[in-house]
């Protein structure tokens, strides 16, 4: 570090408070809520790891992260933050688990999703530090760069000013956008870039559909990386998308949570104009798509649509990725009533559609729940109800079954206790989205919000858990994540 100080490196970590917290052995800065902002502001970009001292994955990553920090000395500083001691900072960067590694530039953090190795972290950080952002100074250069690109984002500016906020925001966009990005000073409409009547600065996304381009000229948004990213993400998709394996990530992988889908078994051509009209009204708030139920029967089943569901195509539904709720549209496929339906979903006034298998005649101590019976049985304030959310194809669920049946049999004579289970792949429960299978929750009379069981699959441990929760005592248990979560039976969107 000292030889970098002597050289006066522009990436020198100039914040005294942070420098005093530099771990020379690890080559990692130790930051907190007091020092973070000043440290980040003094560097063009930083890499930060949010960790928890008790987290095994954090401890495993630590030596690789330290090695990456040494490799990147003088290029980009690496820091770490104890998320358990700096919860407001972790919340600000939407940290949902530990460890989380972020590349932070201009106050915006991009998640690292690669392998937990020093070499991979180094390559990722350097790619983020110098993203592929073409600087085009002439119409000829712009035309050459655009050749062969069906989708491209170009920022038109009057000059390349060092540190200019719009260009710096675009640099951040280029580090994450799927579309190739460029900045150009070829701002005359005659140069073949800016549409007539549009003046720099302006961000233009050239598209292979619609009118061929979309334009952003709002000066406030042109200095906001997030606003520019949102614009590119929204305008990269046509008004109405055809769902395929190739388009799935583009449709469901963005930040827009609401999806309006028409599931069909024959050509949707006649309905497309109506969908496009509504889609234009909710551009940026909802993504509209069509789904062929014959080709994508698993997705159709998830939405309870034939050939394996109760609803007959064509049918329109809205689905919120945020809370996993489905909403069934029951009107005529016309722009105005469809738009009113979408507005109701966005405002939270639409009643969710819940899938349910037929209710079964109960026999034996283990109660089989379905979507329509869940609320009636589970939220009965006179009962403590233990519920296992399972998937029929889940190996862990099958392994647990004899233990769970024995537990139900042992508690069958307790009049205030119900042991139940529900196939979570065929029934919807409002507000419940299991992260994996099996998931076991006890809805006691004193806490109908539910307490999730995180102990072993031993009958004695489950009985102790039930006793603790029913008596109001805190229950502490735990297994490694990879032993209690089985994602193989979940439908990934």
């Amino acid at each position: 570090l000292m030889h970098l100080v002597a050289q006066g490196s522009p990436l020198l970590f100039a914040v005294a408070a942070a420098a005093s917290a530099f771990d020379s052995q690890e080559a990692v800065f130790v930051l907190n809520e007091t020092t973070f902002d000043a440290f980040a502001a003094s560097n063009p970009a930083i890499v930060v790891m949010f960790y928890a001292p008790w987290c095994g994955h954090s401890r495993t990553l630590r030596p690789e992260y330290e090695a990456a920090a040494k490799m990147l000395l003088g290029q980009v500083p690496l820091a770490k933050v104890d998320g358990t001691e700096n919860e407001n900072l972790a919340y600000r960067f939407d940290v949902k688990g530990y460890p989380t590694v972020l590349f932070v530039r201009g106050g915006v953090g991009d998640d690292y999703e690669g392998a937990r190795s020093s070499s991979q972290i180094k390559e990722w950080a350097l790619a983020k530090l110098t993203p592929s952002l073409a600087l085009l100074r002439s119409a000829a250069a712009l035309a050459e760069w655009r050749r062969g690109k069906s989708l491209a984002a170009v920022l038109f500016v009057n000059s390349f000013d060092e540190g200019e906020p719009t260009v710096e925001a675009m640099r951040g966009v280029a580090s994450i956008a799927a579309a190739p990005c460029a900045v150009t000073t070829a701002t005359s409409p005659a140069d073949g870039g800016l549409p007539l009547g549009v003046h720099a600065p302006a961000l233009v996304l050239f598209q292979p559909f619609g009118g061929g381009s979309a334009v952003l000229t709002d000066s406030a948004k042109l200095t906001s990386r997030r606003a520019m990213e949102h614009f590119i993400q929204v305008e990269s998709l046509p008004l109405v998308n055809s769902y395929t394996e190739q388009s799935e990530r583009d449709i469901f992988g963005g930040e827009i949570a609401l999806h309006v889908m028409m599931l069909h078994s024959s050509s949707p051509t006649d309905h497309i104009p109506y969908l496009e009209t509504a889609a234009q009204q909710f551009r940026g708030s909802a993504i509209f798509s069509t789904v062929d139920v014959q080709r994508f029967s698993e997705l159709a089943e998830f939405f309870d649509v034939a050939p394996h569901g109760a609803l007959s195509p064509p049918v329109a539904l809205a689905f919120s990725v945020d809370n996993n709720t489905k909403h069934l549209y029951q009107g005529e496929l016309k722009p105005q009533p469809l738009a009113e339906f979408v507005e109701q979903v966005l405002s939270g006034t639409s009643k969710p559609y819940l899938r349910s298998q037929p209710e079964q005649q109960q026999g034996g101590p283990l109660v089989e729940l379905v979507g329509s019976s869940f609320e009636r049985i589970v939220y009965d304030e006179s009962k403590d109800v233990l519920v296992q959310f399972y998937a029929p194809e889940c190996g862990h669920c099958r392994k647990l079954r004899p233990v769970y049946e024995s537990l139900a049999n042992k508690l069958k004579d307790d009049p205030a206790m119900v042991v139940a289970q529900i196939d979570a792949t065929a029934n919807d429960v409002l507000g419940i989205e299991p992260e994996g299978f099996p998931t076991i929750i006890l809805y006691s009379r004193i806490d109908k919000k539910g307490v999730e069981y995180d102990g072993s699959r031993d009958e004695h441990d489950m009985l102790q858990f039930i006793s603790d929760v029913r008596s109001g005592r805190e229950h502490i248990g735990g297994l490694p994540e990879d032993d209690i979560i089985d994602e193989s039976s979940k439908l990934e969107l």
Side-chain angles (χ1 to χ4, degrees):
L1 179 64
M2 290 302 102
H3 79 277
L4 294 173
V5 174
Q7 294 170 6
S9 167
L11 283 177
L12 237 233
F13 323 128
V15 180
S20 66
F22 180 72
D23 189 321
S24 58
Q25 184 175 356
E26 296 181 1
V28 174
F29 289 87
V30 183
L31 303 179
N32 55 39
E33 289 172 354
T34 302
T35 61
F36 184 91
D37 286 335
F39 181 74
S42 70
N43 293 281
I46 67 171
V47 175
V48 59
M49 176 178 74
F50 286 87
Y51 70 96
W54 47 259
C55 170
H57 294 305
S58 296
R59 292 193 295 269
T60 300
L61 178 61
R62 178 177 170 175
E64 295 294 330
Y65 191 73
E66 293 168 5
K70 293 172 183 176
M71 295 177 188
L72 290 165
L73 273 174
Q75 300 179 82
V76 59
L78 269 67
K80 64 181 181 181
V81 173
D82 181 346
T84 67
E85 294 290 332
N86 300 274
E87 293 181 352
N88 290 334
L89 192 58
Y91 177 79
R92 180 171 132 197
F93 283 96
D94 197 28
V95 174
K96 292 185 170 65
Y98 300 110
T100 292
V101 177
L102 302 172
F103 184 92
V104 179
R105 189 203 313 259
V108 179
D110 295 330
D111 285 290
Y112 175 65
E113 298 178 347
R116 290 174 179 171
S117 72
S118 57
S119 60
Q120 291 290 311
I121 294 171
K122 174 192 171 185
E123 291 178 11
W124 167 77
L126 290 177
K128 288 286 185 183
L129 187 63
T130 55
S132 179
L133 180 64
L135 302 178
L136 310 171
R137 299 182 183 276
S138 68
L142 174 60
E144 178 62 28
W145 181 83
R146 278 192 57 196
R147 186 174 290 116
K149 295 179 175 67
S150 59
L151 194 69
V154 181
L155 177 65
F156 290 82
V157 294
N158 292 312
S159 62
F160 294 127
D161 294 330
E162 187 68 29
E164 201 278 324
T166 299
V167 176
E168 287 306 305
M170 189 65 179
R171 198 179 303 280
V173 170
S175 72
I176 196 170
C181 298
V183 179
T184 183
T185 51
T187 59
S188 170
D191 292 334
L194 274 178
L196 286 171
V198 177
H199 303 284
L203 175 60
V204 178
L205 182 71
F206 296 98
Q207 312 154 311
F209 48 79
S213 66
V215 181
L216 179 67
T217 57
D218 186 311
S219 58
K221 292 182 178 179
L222 287 174
T223 58
S224 165
R225 174 185 157 183
R226 284 296 192 213
M228 294 166 77
E229 285 177 357
H230 180 74
F231 167 77
I232 292 173
Q233 184 184 104
V234 169
E235 298 300 338
S236 291
L237 293 172
L239 285 172
V240 177
N241 304 270
S242 177
Y243 177 87
T244 65
E245 292 92 343
Q246 293 74 33
S247 67
E248 179 183 55
R249 182 176 179 84
D250 292 333
I251 294 172
F252 289 106
E255 63 184 30
I256 298 176
L258 185 62
H259 295 265
V260 180
M261 291 170 285
M262 192 192 78
L263 293 94
H264 60 89
S265 56
S266 56
S267 173
T269 303
D270 292 344
H271 303 296
I272 295 296
Y274 307 131
L275 293 172
E276 287 181 337
T277 301
Q280 184 64 63
Q281 181 176 340
F282 295 97
R283 191 72 157 163
S285 300
I287 294 176
F288 284 65
S289 306
T290 61
V291 181
D292 185 338
V293 298
Q294 302 297 335
R295 291 181 59 195
F296 303 103
S297 59
E298 186 180 8
L299 186 61
E301 185 175 5
F302 178 77
F303 290 110
D304 203 23
V305 177
H308 304 298
L311 303 173
S312 298
V315 59
L317 299 104
F319 174 67
S320 173
V321 176
D322 276 350
N323 55 22
N324 200 42
T325 56
K326 309 174 182 76
H327 301 262
L328 176 63
Y329 175 64
Q330 296 179 300
E332 188 178 7
L333 276 173
K334 297 291 184 181
Q336 183 176 343
L338 183 58
E340 291 172 354
F341 163 72
V342 176
E343 189 61 55
Q344 289 171 357
V345 176
L346 286 169
S347 66
T349 58
S350 171
K351 183 179 179 180
Y353 176 80
L354 303 176
R355 294 176 302 162
S356 179
Q357 294 174 305
E359 293 193 32
Q360 304 176 16
Q361 184 174 357
Q362 304 296 335
L366 182 57
V367 176
E368 188 72 31
L369 301 172
V370 294
S372 59
S373 66
F374 186 92
E375 185 173 342
R376 183 178 72 251
I377 294 174
V378 172
Y379 297 130
D380 182 343
E381 294 185 355
S382 68
K383 305 287 186 183
D384 297 311
V385 186
L386 185 72
V387 181
Q388 178 198 177
F389 296 85
Y390 72 93
E393 302 303 317
C394 165
H396 294 307
C397 300
R398 290 195 294 268
K399 186 176 180 181
L400 177 64
R401 184 173 182 85
V403 177
Y404 200 70
E405 289 176 343
S406 175
L407 178 72
N409 192 59
K410 186 159 291 187
L411 295 170
K412 66 180 181 181
D413 294 328
D414 184 337
M417 185 73 210
V418 176
V419 178
Q421 63 182 12
I422 184 168
D423 178 355
T425 68
N427 298 276
D428 293 328
V429 177
L430 190 62
I432 302 295
E433 170 61 8
E435 293 183 359
F437 302 111
T439 290
I440 298 174
I441 299 176
L442 177 57
Y443 298 88
S444 69
R445 285 168 288 177
I446 61 175
D447 184 7
K448 283 300 179 181
K449 291 180 179 178
V451 178
E452 185 171 350
Y453 176 64
D454 59 359
S456 75
R457 298 187 184 97
D458 179 79
E459 183 179 318
H460 176 270
D461 286 352
M462 285 191 277
L463 284 169
Q464 185 62 53
F465 163 75
I466 293 168
S467 175
D468 288 346
V469 175
R470 294 178 86 181
S471 62
R473 295 191 300 271
E474 182 177 357
H475 176 80
I476 300 175
L479 280 177
E481 286 187 0
D482 56 359
D483 194 37
I484 63 170
I485 294 179
D486 184 324
E487 295 284 354
S488 61
S489 296
K490 293 184 70 178
L491 174 65
E492 294 294 336
L493 295 181

